[in-house]
Every structure is written in structure tokens, then in C-alpha cells.
Amino acid sequence: MALDGISIHALVHEFNENLLNGKINKISQPEKEELLITINTQNGNKRLLISANASLPFMYITSDNKPAPATAPGFCMLLRKHIGAGRIIEISQMELERAVRFKIQHLNEMGDITFKYLYVEIMGKHSNIIFCNEDNMILDAIKHVPSSVSSVREVLPGREYFIPAQEGKINPLTVTEDHFKNTVLKRSESIFRAIMSSFIGISPTIANEICFRAGIDSDASCASLFDEHKDALYKSFSDLMNDVSSDKYNYNMVIDEAKGEPVEYAPVILSMYQDKSSKSYESMSEVLVDFYAKRNQYTNIRQKSSDLRKIISNHIERASKKLDLQLKQLKDTEKRDKYKIYGELLHTYGYEAKPQDKSITVINYYNNEELTIPLDPDFSASENAKRYFDKYAKLKRTAEALDTYIEQSQNELELLKSIETSLNIAETETDLADIRRELSDHGFIKKHSGNKKEKVKKSKPLHFVDDNGFDIYVGKNNYQNDELTFKFATGNDWWFHTKKIHGSHVIVKTNGKELPDSSYEYAAELAAYYSSGRDTDKVEIDYLQKKNVKKPASAVAGFVVYYTNYSMVVTPTLEHVKLVSQE
């Protein structure tokens, strides 16, 4: 799911319809590798959001604003200086490359009309935003690329701007039928790879779609094609390219309803996903807003939670090692009863031992078998017996202490793993704040020394409504789980949780009504989805009425016990519920 040349072509068409001849009136840099440009057009202000983030590059028109940092970065200041009041007079795509050029007219310091170019390259880890003068010399870029990083092209002030040529690839909008059949389809590889590697801007998705429309297996070899197959492939290819060149688009997103996640998007119908549902949009930007905004939020949360992940991971590793050591020590104490028997038998038979004996063999009256007891020749039999009793007492005390320590270590490890699960399902910065607070409350990190009078905003559980109209609530961390189960839910509400793995507490509000069977399944699917078993095919769920869920005295947040419950196995999914509120 990456922006390919065809998606960029659709975006440029949209930009020309909405942004051309617009006046730039605000430029901000909300993130390190992101620009938000506000443009005054005949139809009001439009916001153009551009990201050169290596893991999630994109560009689209959006209605949402984003807060800018108090001090603007140098690149943003340079743009404001040169094109802060400029007018966009041309927007173009370079052939079918994943690059867009904005030509901007503005007045220089002398009041003369001059031009600048802003290039946006959406090329995965090589994505960049590059600002050039009218001679195409780079003034600056949001990411500098020295020769030590790339031997193909430096992106530094003073260098000439160019896009490295893609060897062997041509523009699919200008290809002839003869070239397609006798060059592209003559390659010694699979059909979809031949199409993808022959043309600029065609992604694996589009290459597979061309094959699907032609009714041909995309993984088949080019050498296996007959003339009628080549005719069908060229017609499929030509029809799609004609739609693109004439700006006939069908903006859509393919969605996996079972997981509630987007599968793919494109400005053309993806008929190869017949088994999945699709959603139509009015513009390419709407598609990208729906997809990338959520994906960008997820990526930002992952980045902003990286310190917490490292802290939790380190503590889990430390707690696991400590528990392993304690269990090993406990195993070593299992021989204590042997020393007790040695002492007792020496009290009974010690008179048989001679001075300087290194051992004595006696009858063990517990099993009537012979037993050889080692002796220290420097001590008498009674003294050896006392030494064995001392060993037994010491190991017994150690075992009793270890039982307590092991229970503490196991509880600590379970707590850390539950917090780790909360972190994995966190969706907002407020969720991260709750997790940070829980880590702090348990001493895993230092408490934040901020303004004590400042109220800390707490996140709220997720609120869903299922297909039957029942309200379902999902806790996203241990504090929310406690709140839901013991303060929000009433006795006859139903409570769901994954069996033997960490996950959210899920509450179905019954309001005195009988739940249909399907609502039990929907709530169980939610409990499976918001758990550490999310990525598995099947998860076992326990469910019971809330009145039968108990919290032991002094138990940490999120920990409960129950003794009577029902169980079912479900697939983690959001298919049968609708999100009502997240915060």
C-alpha cells in the first residue's frame, strides 16, 4: 500500500483542479519531515499536507490543521522567506515518476517577479522535499543526502536537481502495442514482474490487476503466452492507461472487514479483490486521508512509545532472569529433606560410626532400604547430625523465602506483560500517558516532576455498538479495566476476557435485556482483538456476568479472579461492531 506513479498522477490532477493559481499564505513544519502548506484559492483555503517520512511518505489535501512547533525549523523558515506569499502557477508530474513539481511565482527582494520550484518525491526511504531556484539548483531540502549516503545523487544546497533515471523503464502512457508485446512480454520472468519492471510508476498491485482483468495468471511465465493472451493483456493494459491519461478515476479502498483494516487503495477499480468489500471516495486525497491519517497516527504512536517499549522490554528481561534464578535456587533446596533424614538416622545409628569414618551405611527406617550417609571425619557422628540439621533448616528457610520472592517475581512479570499488551493496543498519546503513569506508580520509571496542580487528562475506554444495538466497552489499560469492571459495569452486565493470555476487560451493557447469541460472539471477538492474541487465528475467551468477577485484596489494577464461567473460541475481528467513541 504505497503511493505509486498512477496514484500520484491522480493527485496531480486533483491538485491542478484545487490548488492551481492559489496563493500560499502559511507554511508550517509540524513534524521533522513534514510540511503543512495553507493555500488561498478561489474556493477558500486549502491545506496541503506533505510527509517525507521514510516509513510513511504521502501528500494530500486535508481540512485538518496541525499544531506547529514554537520555533520553526530552518527549512520551514527558508520556504517562508522565499515563497511565503507566492502563487502556484504550475503543478506537474515528471512522466509517471513518484515526484511532483510545484512551480511558484513570487517577488524577490527587489520587487521583481521570479520563480522557485518545490519538488516532492514520494519514494519510500528516499522520499524528500527539495526546494530549488529557477535554475533548478537546490537551495535546501528537508533531508540532506551527502555523497557518503548516495553515490548516485547528492541532495545538498548548491547541487543541481535531477531524478536518477530508472534504467530499462519507460513511461507506460506512451508505450506502443508493438513494444508491449514484443519487448515487455518477451522478458524471461513472470508476467506481472515483466510489466512492473518495464514501466515507470506501475506498482505490483497495478501489474497484478492488469493480469487479472485479462484473465491470466500473473505468476505465469511470459514464455507461456500465446498471441491471444498477449492481445488480452495489451487491451487490459491499454484500457487502464487510457483511463489514467484521460483522468478517468474510480477512487476506492479495499477493506478487510474481518480485521477492520485497509488492504489496498488505488484511483482505479481493483477487481482482483472481489472477495473483499470496497469503499468509494470523491478524490484521491480523501482516500489517503482515510488511510494514511490512521496509519500516520499508528506510526507516530509507535515512535513516541519507543522509549516505553524499551523500558518495558528491559524490565521483562530482568524479571524473567530473576525468576529463572529463583526457580533454580528453589530446585536446589529440594534436597533439604535428605539432610533431615541424614540427621535423624545419625541420631539413631551414629553409635556405630568409628572415629575418622568418612561414611556410614544404615537402614533407612522410612523405606527399609540401605542408605550410605557421608561423614566429615573431623567431627563425631552427633556433630555430623547437627551439621545436617543445620543444612536442612537453612534450606527450609531459603525455600520459604523463595516462595515469597517467586510469587512477587511472577506477579511483577505478569504485570509487565499486561502493560506491554496495553502498549501494543495504545492508539493515542493519552493512552501512552496512562501507561507511563502505571509504570511510574509501580516504580518502573521515575515519577514526572511536573506541576502538581496540573490536571492529567486520562484516556477513556473504547465504546462500540454491535450489530444488535448493544453497547460494548473495551478497556485499553489496567486502570481502565478496573474502572470498567468495578465502577462502570453493573451486576448483570456481561464480562469478557481472553483465557490465560493478557488482554482487555470487555463489558457488554445489558440494561436488563437478554443478550442474543450473536452479541456474545461479537463481544468475544472484541476481547480477542484487543489482546496479545490479536494476530492469531483463534483465541479462547472466558465470559460471565460481572457480579461473579472478584478482585483480591491488595491486587494490582487489572487483576481479577473468577471461578464459574463459560468459554468460546473466536477469531479476533472488528467486523460486527462500530466504533462510537475513542476518547
Side-chain angles (χ1 to χ4, degrees):
M1 287 180 287
L3 276 168
D4 60 9
I6 292 176
S7 297
I8 295 293
H9 195 276
L11 275 175
V12 169
H13 171 69
E14 179 185 344
F15 293 166
N16 275 298
E17 286 191 335
N18 290 275
L19 306 179
L20 194 63
N21 296 317
K23 183 180 179 181
I24 297 172
N25 62 17
K26 185 178 180 182
I27 303 173
S28 64
Q29 193 170 337
E31 302 285 347
K32 181 181 177 182
E33 297 171 347
E34 190 174 278
L35 285 181
L36 181 62
I37 303 175
T38 304
I39 302 162
N40 193 337
T41 73
Q42 292 182 344
N43 297 318
N45 282 342
K46 305 285 185 180
R47 293 189 180 96
L48 176 63
L49 184 61
I50 308 169
S51 172
N53 186 296
S55 61
L56 198 68
F58 59 78
M59 61 189 306
Y60 51 71
I61 296 171
T62 177
S63 59
D64 296 331
N65 199 2
K66 296 186 74 172
T71 303
F75 183 67
C76 180
M77 293 294 290
L78 180 71
L79 294 180
R80 288 177 180 175
K81 175 184 175 181
H82 287 279
I83 59 172
R87 187 173 299 279
I88 300 173
I89 62 171
E90 182 184 307
I91 307 171
S92 58
Q93 181 182 21
M94 307 170 77
E95 293 194 320
L96 209 63
E97 292 278 8
R98 292 171 294 165
V100 179
R101 186 181 75 170
F102 295 85
K103 186 176 182 180
I104 302 163
Q105 174 186 292
H106 68 103
L107 299 178
N108 63 16
E109 295 175 351
M110 303 299 293
D112 299 326
I113 293 177
T114 187
F115 302 96
K116 295 289 190 300
Y117 296 106
L118 187 67
Y119 290 92
V120 180
E121 299 179 349
I122 307 296
M123 300 178 178
K125 66 179 182 180
H126 303 296
S127 298
N128 212 335
I129 305 171
I130 304 171
F131 185 50
C132 298
N133 65 15
E134 57 188 325
D135 296 321
N136 238 19
M137 302 300 290
I138 297 174
L139 297 175
D140 204 356
I142 206 163
K143 292 192 286 190
H144 288 180
V145 183
S147 58
S148 58
V149 175
S150 173
S151 59
V152 177
R153 179 183 69 158
E154 286 185 310
V155 181
L156 294 171
R159 301 293 192 269
E160 183 178 0
Y161 175 83
F162 67 94
I163 291 182
Q166 297 190 49
E167 188 175 347
K169 289 192 174 186
I170 63 173
N171 187 347
L173 300 180
T174 60
V175 70
T176 64
E177 182 176 356
D178 179 70
H179 182 87
F180 184 85
K181 290 182 177 179
N182 298 315
T183 302
V184 176
L185 298 183
K186 290 290 186 181
R187 297 173 70 116
S188 57
E189 53 190 337
S190 64
I191 302 167
F192 97 91
R193 289 194 178 277
I195 295 173
M196 184 181 65
S197 56
S198 296
F199 299 114
I200 298 168
I202 290 189
S203 64
T205 300
I206 295 299
N208 277 298
E209 176 64 19
I210 290 169
C211 295
F212 183 85
R213 292 186 183 187
I216 294 171
D217 181 4
S218 61
D219 290 320
S221 170
C222 290
S224 66
L225 294 173
F226 294 104
D227 288 343
E228 58 267 29
H229 298 147
K230 293 180 182 181
D231 290 340
L233 278 168
Y234 179 71
K235 185 180 186 309
S236 173
F237 170 84
S238 179
D239 288 348
L240 194 150
M241 291 306 134
N242 286 337
D243 285 346
V244 173
S245 59
S246 57
D247 295 317
K248 294 180 181 177
Y249 299 114
N250 284 286
Y251 309 105
N252 68 101
M253 183 186 296
V254 180
I255 299 169
D256 185 340
E257 293 288 355
K259 294 185 177 180
E261 297 176 352
V263 176
E264 189 59 89
Y265 62 81
V268 297
I269 294 296
L270 297 175
S271 51
M272 61 182 177
Y273 289 107
Q274 293 176 329
D275 60 330
K276 291 182 171 56
S277 63
S278 65
K279 182 179 179 182
S280 297
Y281 297 84
E282 293 297 321
S283 70
M284 195 66 210
S285 284
E286 286 186 16
V287 176
L288 298 176
V289 166
D290 204 10
F291 174 76
Y292 278 105
K294 295 175 183 176
R295 190 73 172 266
N296 191 34
Q297 179 189 39
Y298 172 78
T299 301
N300 286 338
I301 288 296
R302 294 288 295 188
Q303 290 173 346
K304 290 175 181 178
S305 66
S306 60
D307 61 326
L308 293 177
R309 291 183 186 283
K310 187 173 182 180
I311 289 169
I312 294 171
S313 176
N314 288 342
H315 278 290
I316 286 177
E317 183 179 1
R318 195 175 305 151
S320 297
K321 287 181 178 179
K322 180 172 68 176
L323 179 59
D324 288 343
L325 180 60
Q326 290 168 344
L327 290 172
K328 184 177 180 300
Q329 291 173 332
L330 183 63
K331 187 171 181 63
D332 291 339
T333 66
E334 291 176 357
K335 56 189 175 185
R336 64 184 181 274
D337 288 335
K338 176 180 71 174
Y339 296 134
K340 180 183 178 183
I341 293 173
Y342 283 178
E344 292 175 347
L345 293 177
L346 283 175
H347 272 179
T348 304
Y349 302 108
Y351 66 89
E352 297 179 3
K354 299 177 183 177
Q356 303 302 311
D357 275 353
K358 293 184 178 181
S359 65
I360 181 174
T361 300
V362 299
I363 297 297
N364 182 354
Y365 44 67
Y366 287 106
N367 57 16
N368 291 320
E369 295 179 357
E370 284 191 346
L371 178 65
T372 299
I373 303 174
L375 298 174
D376 188 330
D378 294 333
F379 296 96
S380 65
S382 59
E383 289 172 333
N384 270 286
K386 182 180 181 303
R387 287 163 65 85
Y388 278 127
F389 281 129
D390 289 344
K391 278 187 180 182
Y392 164 75
K394 181 179 179 181
L395 289 175
K396 183 181 178 183
R397 290 193 301 272
T398 301
E400 291 171 349
L402 283 170
D403 284 338
T404 301
Y405 294 146
I406 287 171
E407 183 180 2
Q408 292 172 351
S409 296
Q410 288 173 333
N411 290 340
E412 178 183 341
L413 192 57
E414 288 300 302
L415 174 62
L416 285 165
K417 288 182 177 180
S418 70
I419 297 175
E420 183 180 47
T421 299
S422 299
L423 189 58
N424 289 335
I425 64 176
E427 297 174 345
T428 67
E429 291 191 43
T430 314
D431 293 339
L432 298 184
D434 278 354
I435 292 168
R436 198 177 294 276
R437 178 166 63 94
E438 185 171 5
L439 288 170
S440 174
D441 289 347
H442 290 287
F444 296 119
I445 59 175
K446 293 182 179 178
K447 288 187 180 291
H448 177 63
S449 57
N451 185 355
K452 293 184 179 179
K453 294 183 180 180
E454 182 182 347
K455 289 186 177 180
V456 179
K457 184 181 177 182
K458 296 181 181 179
S459 64
K460 296 179 181 179
L462 295 168
H463 177 196
F464 294 88
V465 173
D466 72 9
D467 288 350
N468 298 313
F470 284 91
D471 293 299
I472 307 176
Y473 297 84
V474 180
K476 292 183 285 181
N477 55 58
N478 289 325
Y479 290 143
Q480 287 185 12
N481 288 338
D482 261 17
E483 184 82 17
L484 270 181
T485 302
F486 297 107
K487 294 184 179 179
F488 177 75
T490 57
N492 291 326
D493 292 336
W494 284 87
W495 183 90
F496 295 75
H497 193 276
T498 47
K499 180 185 284 290
K500 297 182 180 179
I501 63 172
H502 300 286
S504 300
H505 291 197
V506 174
I507 295 292
V508 181
K509 294 294 291 181
T510 62
N511 297 318
K513 299 177 183 177
E514 188 74 24
L515 285 187
D517 290 346
S518 56
S519 284
Y520 289 102
E521 294 177 9
Y522 301 157
E525 289 168 353
L526 269 177
Y529 187 84
Y530 288 99
S531 76
S532 57
R534 174 184 291 192
D535 296 325
T536 60
D537 292 333
K538 298 292 181 181
V539 179
E540 188 172 4
I541 305 296
D542 287 342
Y543 63 102
L544 60 154
Q545 286 187 301
K546 179 267 166 184
K547 60 188 176 184
N548 296 316
V549 181
K550 309 298 179 185
K551 188 170 189 66
S554 73
V556 296
F559 183 80
V560 300
V561 295
Y562 51 91
Y563 304 102
T564 303
N565 63 274
Y566 305 96
S567 293
M568 73 170 78
V569 176
V570 295
T571 299
T573 180
L574 300 177
E575 183 177 356
H576 303 104
V577 294
K578 179 182 179 182
L579 181 63
V580 176
S581 65
Q582 187 170 0
E583 284 295 339

